Amino acid sequence: MRNKIIVALDMRGLDNIVKLVDDLNDKAVWFKLGAVNFTAYSDRVIKALKERNKKIFLDLKYHDIPNTVKEAVFSACEIGADMLTVHAIGGVDMMSAAKDGVKAYEDKYSKKGAKILAVTILTSFNKQTLKRDMFLDRDVEGVVTDLAYNAKKAGIDGLVASPQETPVLKKIFGGYFSIVTPGIRLPSSNKDDQKRVMTPCEALKSGSDYIVVGRPIYASDNPLRSFENILKNMEEVC
Ligand code: C5P
């Protein structure tokens, strides 16, 4: 079960990141690096995680012309990403190119490359901003579903989905995609800026394969105990 928890390393300071990873010792397997910490610490943070045999979810949300994405994905595999994200809005050709990048890595090194996840519509968008900024006069859910169909066409392995989207995506696509869900909180914890949340157990029940948890672990007085409480919620309550 602990393989299903991805700890988001959204705090500042490489020392703080390494301390958290060490405090969680063997319990935590997966860690998420995003634009903030990867831009700041790049190969140093990757090296620190790999030296500790951790799995890396590189959440850089690639969105560019297909060839650039292919090359970026190849490089991400080379530095040790085990899972990474692309924007589904980049199109079927771009997502297929991401998969080609993984294949090129696997052919060159005879090793398994990263799993590719598609991000559909960011949760910071709503129906109004979708129309104003992307000129799409549609419900968010319909666009999310159509982008997921595109991801399937491109052979993408999984989707990042909010707690609200996971059940409908599972209903349509069954077990085809691995689903990674952020916005996870225990009933007792602070929601921070997350508007809609689910408990770890609810996320599993609604079909999430992985949950992403940041502040409830890294901003806690006792990160290891917080991680264990999340695990307990998944193992015992569920
Ligand atoms: O601290 P918290 O648990 O809210 O962190 C959630 C993580 O998941 C953050 O890294 C955030 O950027 C990411 N995320 C999210 N909602 C999305 C996509 C990603 O919270 N829709």
Side-chain angles (χ1 to χ4, degrees), residues 121 130 138-149 168:
I121 295 296
L130 212 54
R138 296 185 56 196
D139 285 335
V140 176
E141 190 181 297
V143 180
V144 166
T145 307
D146 284 348
L147 288 169
Y149 277 112
V168 63

Side-chain angles (χ1 to χ4, degrees), residues 55-161:
K55 287 195 181 285
I56 297 176
F57 173 24
L58 191 62
D59 186 21
L60 297 178
K61 300 186 180 69
Y62 295 130
H63 183 185
D64 210 316
I65 59 170
N67 186 61
T68 302
V69 170
K70 177 184 171 191
E71 296 299 329
V73 167
F74 181 86
S75 299
C77 292
E78 278 190 320
I79 63 171
D82 297 285
M83 199 148 73
L84 60 86
T85 47
V86 299
H87 269 290
I89 210 95
V92 175
D93 291 349
M94 190 209 78
M95 289 189 277
S96 299
K99 289 293 295 186
D100 291 344
V102 176
K103 182 157 186 324
Y105 170 84
E106 291 178 342
D107 289 347
K108 179 166 179 189
Y109 293 100
S110 302
K111 276 201 267 181
K112 250 302 358 62
K115 294 269 179 235
I116 310 279
L117 305 178
V119 174
T120 56
I121 295 296
L122 295 172
T123 45
S124 48
F125 274 91
N126 58 26
K127 190 170 163 54
Q128 285 71 40
T129 51
L130 212 54
K131 184 171 180 199
R132 187 194 67 191
D133 302 340
M134 303 226 290
F135 315 105
L136 282 169
D137 192 7
R138 296 185 56 196
D139 285 335
V140 176
E141 190 181 297
V143 180
V144 166
T145 307
D146 284 348
L147 288 169
Y149 277 112
N150 275 357
K152 189 172 179 191
K153 257 187 233 160
I156 290 293
D157 308 291
L159 299 171
V160 179

Side-chain angles (χ1 to χ4, degrees), residues 8-10 32 34 59 61 119 121-124 160-163 165 181-185 191-194 212-218:
L9 295 171
D10 292 331
K32 180 170 95 78
D59 186 21
K61 300 186 180 69
V119 174
I121 295 296
L122 295 172
T123 45
S124 48
V160 179
S162 76
E165 295 159 1
T181 310
I184 302 296
R185 293 292 183 272
K191 288 211 292 188
D192 305 299
D193 56 354
Q194 297 283 11
V212 176
V213 190
R215 285 160 291 183
I217 294 175
Y218 73 74

